[in-house]
């Protein structure tokens, strides 16, 4: 015996001679459910218009906020960092503002924020930025019904000390409820992609430092790239095309 709510299923089973009973809701029940759905949709539209701020805080030595730098190499890293944040701001349809002392805020809406993380988690974006710039930073995300409220929540996220500085992504909602983007355990965002044992063995045999091969390997795994050229390495390592070709040639000669 079959019980169904679907007319098509009911008719098909009847043709097959299978005893079938169809449950049909009353018009009042249907209207009640539709009214509920409409009111819920309207409330969700309002919710998506909440302010969302994604804050990035660079971390210096000893876990303290990063101070102003006058070293050319460090300044170049921070410029690359800002360029990466501009790309995220563009995806969020938001505005990037440098708040000073190594802190940057992206102002957007809750709807745009949820749309972005449904496509790519912030942990993955953080990994890529860390890989390209070698900078340590925290991410604090705050939402609120006003800009002031959202900013307060971002600051609250930065001040959370349940995770090692330079390794946390914390979200504080409009009610002040704090959660890690990785669940209750507060897992850190860090690249867990290690070189295969074969790579380590070959690099050791040739006396080749693993730093550059590790960055390349992590990047292609993170991006799931099946093949690449020296252009990608030039962009990743911020070096010359000639140097990239030399690196590729050396890896190839070692059988990697």
């Amino acid at each position: 015996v079959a019980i169904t709510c679907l007319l098509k299923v009911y008719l098909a089973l009847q043709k097959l001679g299978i005893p079938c009973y169809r449950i049909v809701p009353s018009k009042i029940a249907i209207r009640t459910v539709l009214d509920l759905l409409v009111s819920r949709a309207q409330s969700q539209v309002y919710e998506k218009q909440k302010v969302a701020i994604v804050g990035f805080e660079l971390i210096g030595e000893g876990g303290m906020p990063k101070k102003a730098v006058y070293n050319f190499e460090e300044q170049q890293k921070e410029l690359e960092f800002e360029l990466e944040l501009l790309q995220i701001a563009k995806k969020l349809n938001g505005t990037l503002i440098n708040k000073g002392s190594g802190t940057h805020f992206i102002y957007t809406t809750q709807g745009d924020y949820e749309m972005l993380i449904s496509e790519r988690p912030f942990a993955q974006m953080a990994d890529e930025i860390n890989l390209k710039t070698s900078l340590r930073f925290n991410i604090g995300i705050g939402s609120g019904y006003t800009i002031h409220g959202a900013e307060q929540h971002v600051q609250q996220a930065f001040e959370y000390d349940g995770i090692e500085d330079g390794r946390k992504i914390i979200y504080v909602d409009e009610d002040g409820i704090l959660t890690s983007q990785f669940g209750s355990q507060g897992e850190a965002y860090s690249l867990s992609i290690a070189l295969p044992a074969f790579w380590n063995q070959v690099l050791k045999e040739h006396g080749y430092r693993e730093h550059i091969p590790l960055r390349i390997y992590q990047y292609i795994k993170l991006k799931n790239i099946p093949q690449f050229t020296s252009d990608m390495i030039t962009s990743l390592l911020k070096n010359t095309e000639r140097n990239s070709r030399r690196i590729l040639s050396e890896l190839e000669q070692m059988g990697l």
Side-chain angles (χ1 to χ4, degrees):
V1 175
I3 299 175
T4 180
C5 296
L6 305 177
L7 177 60
K8 188 174 181 179
V9 174
Y10 171 75
L11 296 174
L13 291 176
Q14 288 279 56
K15 283 183 179 179
L16 293 173
I18 297 173
C20 180
Y21 298 88
R22 182 174 173 229
I23 300 171
V24 182
S26 66
K27 288 184 179 181
I28 294 176
I30 294 173
R31 184 179 295 277
T32 302
V33 171
L34 287 175
D35 288 342
L36 178 63
L37 290 173
V38 169
S39 62
R40 188 177 296 173
Q42 289 173 339
S43 66
Q44 285 180 349
V45 168
Y46 174 68
E47 287 288 309
K48 301 304 180 191
Q49 296 305 313
K50 287 184 301 190
V51 178
I53 300 175
V54 183
F56 295 81
E57 180 184 52
L58 288 171
I59 299 298
E61 296 296 328
M64 298 298 290
K66 194 172 178 66
K67 296 179 180 178
V69 292
Y70 303 99
N71 175 294
F72 173 75
E73 186 179 348
E74 289 296 312
Q75 285 183 330
Q76 186 176 22
K77 284 183 181 179
E78 290 196 16
L79 282 173
E80 291 169 4
F81 179 72
E82 284 199 36
L83 285 173
E84 293 296 325
L85 298 191
L86 276 171
Q87 294 301 314
I88 295 176
K90 184 178 179 181
K91 292 172 184 174
L92 285 168
N93 297 313
T95 302
L96 175 67
I97 296 180
N98 187 337
K99 307 290 279 188
S101 303
T103 301
H104 300 76
F105 281 5
I106 297 175
Y107 293 79
T108 183
T109 66
Q110 185 71 13
D112 285 308
Y113 164 72
E114 290 179 4
M115 183 81 72
L116 179 62
I117 63 171
S118 68
E119 297 171 356
R120 290 180 66 206
F122 258 105
Q124 185 181 356
M125 288 182 270
D127 282 342
E128 292 178 13
I129 296 172
N130 177 262
L131 195 60
K132 290 178 180 178
T133 64
S134 301
L135 293 173
R136 297 173 67 236
F137 52 90
N138 294 327
I139 298 178
I141 304 155
S143 65
Y145 295 106
T146 65
I147 291 176
H148 175 71
E151 287 178 340
Q152 294 292 102
H153 291 154
V154 172
Q155 197 58 45
Q156 186 181 338
F158 283 157
E159 292 169 359
Y160 177 70
D161 59 3
I163 304 173
E164 178 186 343
D165 277 334
R167 296 167 61 89
K168 65 187 178 188
I169 303 178
I170 302 297
Y171 173 72
V172 181
D173 66 16
E174 62 279 2
D175 297 320
I177 299 173
L178 181 150
T179 56
S180 163
Q181 288 290 289
F182 303 93
S184 58
Q185 298 303 314
E187 300 170 28
Y189 73 85
S190 61
L191 283 172
S192 57
I193 304 169
L195 283 174
F198 170 72
W199 279 56
N200 285 321
Q201 182 183 345
V202 171
L203 292 172
K204 190 174 180 180
E205 287 173 357
H206 288 81
Y208 199 98
R209 291 181 62 190
E210 69 169 26
H211 176 64
I212 289 176
L214 177 61
R215 289 189 69 184
I216 295 171
Y217 185 81
Q218 287 177 334
Y219 190 76
I220 63 177
K221 285 293 183 183
L222 192 67
K223 290 283 197 177
N224 195 27
I225 300 171
Q227 58 187 19
F228 59 91
T229 66
S230 58
D231 291 340
M232 189 211 78
I233 296 179
T234 301
S235 175
L236 174 64
L237 302 179
K238 304 294 187 293
N239 61 8
T240 63
E241 178 76 14
R242 182 179 179 182
N243 197 31
S244 296
R245 291 184 181 280
R246 177 185 61 79
I247 292 168
L248 267 181
S249 178
E250 290 170 350
L251 294 177
E252 188 177 13
Q253 287 172 16
M254 288 186 287
L256 299 177

